[in-house]
Coordinates of all heavy atoms in Angstrom, one line a residue:
K41 N -104.0 17.0 33.6 CA -104.0 15.6 33.2 C -103.1 15.4 32.1 O -102.5 14.3 32.0 CB -105.5 15.2 32.9 CG -106.4 15.0 34.1 CD -107.8 14.6 33.6 CE -108.7 14.4 34.8 NZ -110.1 14.0 34.3
D42 N -103.1 16.3 31.1 CA -102.2 16.2 30.0 C -100.9 17.0 30.2 O -99.8 16.5 29.9 CB -102.8 16.8 28.7 CG -104.0 16.0 28.3 OD1 -103.9 14.8 28.0 OD2 -105.2 16.6 28.3
W43 N -101.0 18.1 30.9 CA -99.8 19.0 31.1 C -99.3 18.8 32.5 O -99.4 19.7 33.4 CB -100.2 20.5 30.8 CG -99.1 21.4 30.4 CD1 -97.8 21.2 30.6 CD2 -99.2 22.6 29.8 NE1 -97.0 22.2 30.1 CE2 -97.9 23.1 29.6 CE3 -100.3 23.4 29.3 CZ2 -97.7 24.4 29.0 CZ3 -100.1 24.6 28.7 CH2 -98.8 25.1 28.6
V44 N -98.7 17.7 32.7 CA -98.4 17.2 34.1 C -97.4 18.2 34.8 O -97.5 18.5 36.0 CB -97.8 15.8 34.0 CG1 -97.4 15.4 35.4 CG2 -98.8 14.8 33.5
N45 N -96.4 18.7 34.0 CA -95.4 19.5 34.6 C -95.7 21.0 34.6 O -94.8 21.9 34.9 CB -94.1 19.3 33.9 CG -93.5 17.9 34.3 OD1 -93.2 17.7 35.5 ND2 -93.3 17.0 33.4
L46 N -97.0 21.4 34.2 CA -97.3 22.8 34.2 C -97.1 23.5 35.5 O -96.5 24.6 35.4 CB -98.8 22.9 33.7 CG -99.3 24.4 33.6 CD1 -98.5 25.2 32.7 CD2 -100.8 24.4 33.2
P47 N -97.4 23.0 36.6 CA -97.1 23.8 37.9 C -95.7 24.0 38.1 O -95.3 25.1 38.5 CB -97.7 22.9 39.0 CG -98.8 22.1 38.3 CD -98.2 21.8 36.9
R48 N -94.8 23.1 37.7 CA -93.4 23.3 37.9 C -92.9 24.3 36.9 O -92.0 25.1 37.2 CB -92.6 22.0 37.7 CG -91.2 22.1 38.2 CD -90.5 20.7 38.4 NE -89.3 20.9 39.2 CZ -88.4 19.9 39.4 NH1 -88.7 18.7 39.0 NH2 -87.3 20.1 40.1
S49 N -93.4 24.3 35.7 CA -93.0 25.3 34.7 C -93.4 26.6 35.1 O -92.7 27.6 34.9 CB -93.6 24.9 33.3 OG -93.2 25.8 32.3
M50 N -94.6 26.7 35.7 CA -95.1 28.0 36.2 C -94.2 28.6 37.3 O -93.9 29.8 37.3 CB -96.5 27.9 36.7 CG -97.6 27.8 35.6 SD -99.2 27.6 36.3 CE -100.3 27.8 34.9
R51 N -93.8 27.7 38.2 CA -92.9 28.2 39.2 C -91.5 28.6 38.7 O -90.9 29.6 39.1 CB -92.7 27.1 40.3 CG -93.9 26.9 41.2 CD -93.5 26.0 42.4 NE -93.4 24.6 42.0 CZ -94.4 23.7 41.9 NH1 -95.6 24.1 42.1 NH2 -94.1 22.5 41.5
A52 N -91.0 27.9 37.6 CA -89.8 28.3 37.0 C -89.9 29.7 36.3 O -89.0 30.5 36.3 CB -89.4 27.3 36.0
N53 N -91.1 29.9 35.7 CA -91.4 31.2 35.1 C -91.4 32.3 36.2 O -90.9 33.4 35.9 CB -92.7 31.1 34.3 CG -93.0 32.4 33.7 OD1 -92.4 32.8 32.7 ND2 -94.1 33.1 34.2
R54 N -92.0 32.0 37.3 CA -92.1 33.0 38.4 C -90.7 33.4 38.9 O -90.4 34.5 39.1 CB -93.0 32.5 39.5 CG -93.4 33.5 40.5 CD -94.5 34.4 40.0 NE -94.8 35.5 40.9 CZ -95.6 36.5 40.6 NH1 -96.3 36.5 39.5 NH2 -95.8 37.5 41.4
D55 N -89.9 32.4 39.0 CA -88.5 32.6 39.4 C -87.7 33.4 38.3 O -86.9 34.2 38.7 CB -87.8 31.3 39.7 CG -88.3 30.6 40.9 OD1 -88.9 31.3 41.8 OD2 -88.0 29.4 41.1
F56 N -88.0 33.2 37.1 CA -87.5 34.0 36.0 C -87.8 35.5 36.1 O -86.9 36.3 36.1 CB -88.0 33.5 34.6 CG -87.7 34.3 33.4 CD1 -86.5 34.5 32.9 CD2 -88.8 35.1 32.9 CE1 -86.2 35.3 31.8 CE2 -88.6 35.9 31.8 CZ -87.3 36.0 31.2
M57 N -89.1 35.7 36.4 CA -89.5 37.1 36.7 C -88.7 37.8 37.8 O -88.2 38.9 37.7 CB -91.0 37.2 37.0 CG -91.6 38.6 37.3 SD -91.2 39.2 38.9 CE -92.2 38.1 39.9
R58 N -88.5 37.0 38.9 CA -87.8 37.5 40.0 C -86.3 37.8 39.6 O -85.8 38.9 39.9 CB -87.8 36.5 41.1 CG -87.0 36.9 42.4 CD -87.0 35.8 43.4 NE -86.7 34.5 42.9 CZ -85.5 34.0 42.7 NH1 -84.4 34.8 42.9 NH2 -85.3 32.8 42.2
R59 N -85.6 36.9 38.9 CA -84.2 37.1 38.5 C -84.1 38.3 37.6 O -83.2 39.1 37.6 CB -83.6 35.9 37.9 CG -83.5 34.7 38.9 CD -82.6 33.6 38.4 NE -82.9 33.2 37.1 CZ -83.8 32.3 36.7 NH1 -84.6 31.8 37.7 NH2 -84.0 31.9 35.5
V60 N -85.0 38.4 36.6 CA -85.0 39.5 35.6 C -85.2 40.8 36.3 O -84.4 41.8 36.1 CB -86.1 39.3 34.5 CG1 -86.3 40.5 33.7 CG2 -85.7 38.1 33.6

Side-chain angles (χ1 to χ4, degrees):
K41 285 181 181 178
D42 295 301
W43 205 340
V44 177
N45 287 299
L46 178 58
R48 193 165 193 186
S49 182
M50 286 178 168
R51 285 191 290 272
N53 180 70
R54 194 74 188 176
D55 289 341
F56 167 74
M57 180 281 294
R58 175 182 52 79
R59 295 195 310 279
V60 166

